[in-house]
Amino acid sequence: MESGGKKIKIPDHVAIIMDGNGRWAQLRGLPRLAGHREGVKRAREAVEFSYRNGIKYLTLFAFSTENWQRPREEVEGIIQLLREYLRKELPDLKENRVKLKVIGDLTPLPEEVRREIETAEEELKEGDRLTLIVAFSYGGRQEIIRAVKKIVSECKNGTVQNISEEYFRKFLFAPEIPDPDLLIRTGGEQRISNFLLFQIAYTELYFTKTLWPDFTSEEFKRAIEDYSRRERRFGRVGKGK
Ligand code: IPE
Ligand code: IPE
Ligand code: MG
């Protein structure tokens, strides 16, 4: 990707908090679900933008553990949209060598939906161009607690020697995925809302007021350009100091 004739640095892993669907709909006098429906179109666009520009991992926050507290109709509508997305996009994702991984606590989902997710993951497992990680019924704190519980039970077996950072990571939902380089949040709020708490320790943050249904490829490119200008120091002394 180029910007003003100059090559720009592409992050390997981009994570997005896709926020603002409800407000987008409200501004148009539409039901909230219409905003989520439009949001799915932008998710599709973001996936395409990612594999076309050499992003290797894209994590989309689609539904949080806290979002279960929304009205039943909205929750069911969002689940339905996930199912439609998986069904309709599968051939296209496969053709473009996209791998799929869904992270989160899927136990509250109907058995049928869980099966559909598994089938889609299985169908796309050979994908080697982009890994699409969909965070659904996901909470960062819940993920950490789940890891701790797993480690405690390993301890009971007496096999654990040293709980290092590296060892801890093995118990996250997707241990093989590197930490995000860039986290984008649309919709104007400047908070994490229980997204990838452990993984974003050194992630660059980008907040935009643009509501998710308005977040086109142009906007995505702007975020990447912004990222490209940053100096990541990871606690060390910067260049030229
Ligand atoms: C983000 O949009 C999508 C989900 C949380 C499922 P919102 O539905 O939170 O939209 P706003 O923040 O109310 O505008
Ligand atoms: C975060 O958005 C979750 C998703 C985008 C899926 P929310 O709308 O749920 O977050 P808060 O309530 O503004 O913190
Ligand atoms: Mg919101």
Side-chain angles (χ1 to χ4, degrees):
M1 191 159 92
E2 287 193 359
S3 169
K6 276 208 309 205
K7 263 218 171 297
I8 63 170
K9 190 173 67 195
I10 301 292
D12 282 334
H13 184 176
V14 178
I16 309 182
I17 302 176
M18 309 184 289
D19 195 25
N21 295 347
R23 278 163 286 165
W24 183 92
Q26 203 174 13
L27 281 168
R28 288 161 178 76
L30 297 169
R32 292 179 60 84
L33 218 49
H36 296 311
R37 193 169 284 283
E38 192 65 20
V40 175
K41 295 186 190 162
R42 292 298 93 68
R44 204 183 293 141
E45 195 172 328
V47 168
E48 189 174 334
F49 177 90
S50 298
Y51 63 67
R52 286 196 189 287
N53 289 288
I55 292 166
K56 303 303 286 175
Y57 306 91
L58 175 69
T59 301
L60 298 178
F61 200 6
F63 191 79
S64 74
T65 38
E66 291 72 26
N67 289 151
W68 285 108
Q69 297 166 71
R70 292 189 179 196
R72 214 183 94 175
E73 193 185 280
E74 183 173 349
V75 170
E76 285 177 357
I78 293 171
I79 295 172
Q80 209 46 43
L81 284 173
L82 171 74
R83 301 177 73 177
E84 274 174 35
Y85 175 82
L86 294 179
R87 208 173 308 140
K88 285 193 198 151
E89 295 303 307
L90 205 70
D92 216 52
L93 293 172
K94 195 164 182 174
E95 179 161 334
N96 288 292
R97 307 194 331 260
V98 178
K99 185 185 199 140
L100 174 74
K101 169 95 190 153
V102 179
I103 59 170
D105 174 16
L106 303 181
T107 50
L109 286 172
E111 174 70 39
E112 204 187 345
V113 180
R114 273 153 54 188
R115 260 204 314 271
E116 284 168 3
I117 292 172
E118 252 176 56
T119 309
E121 285 177 329
E122 180 61 28
E123 192 69 22
L124 299 172
K125 69 169 192 254
E126 305 293 345
D128 59 358
R129 192 173 177 199
L130 168 75
T131 301
L132 168 65
I133 301 112
V134 176
F136 203 95
S137 184
Y138 173 88
R141 286 183 172 168
Q142 289 80 354
E143 181 180 32
I144 291 169
I145 291 165
R146 175 177 171 274
V148 170
K149 284 184 181 160
K150 283 177 185 278
I151 292 171
V152 168
S153 79
E154 293 275 313
C155 283
K156 284 185 188 148
N157 301 335
T159 52
V160 181
Q161 306 212 322
N162 173 28
I163 303 173
S164 61
E165 188 183 314
E166 201 188 356
Y167 181 77
F168 184 86
R169 282 176 186 276
K170 294 188 204 298
F171 299 90
L172 296 173
F173 282 119
E176 68 287 3
I177 312 284
D179 290 342
D181 299 294
L182 171 65
L183 169 65
I184 298 171
R185 181 173 185 144
T186 62
E189 313 295 352
Q190 302 195 7
R191 54 178 173 249
I192 299 302
S193 301
N194 203 14
F195 199 25
L196 308 162
L197 297 179
F198 184 84
Q199 297 88 334
I200 60 168
Y202 265 105
T203 299
E204 295 295 325
L205 309 179
Y206 180 89
F207 297 101
T208 170
K209 289 200 173 76
T210 303
L211 303 172
W212 176 251
D214 294 324
F215 193 82
T216 55
S217 293
E218 293 297 299
E219 296 262 347
F220 200 162
K221 186 174 179 211
R222 226 167 284 156
I224 303 292
E225 285 167 345
D226 190 282
Y227 167 83
S228 185
R229 287 190 293 269
R230 299 186 189 187
E231 185 195 11
R232 302 181 75 188
R233 289 189 289 278
F234 301 97
R236 301 187 194 104
V237 176
K239 278 186 225 122
K241 299 282 172 334

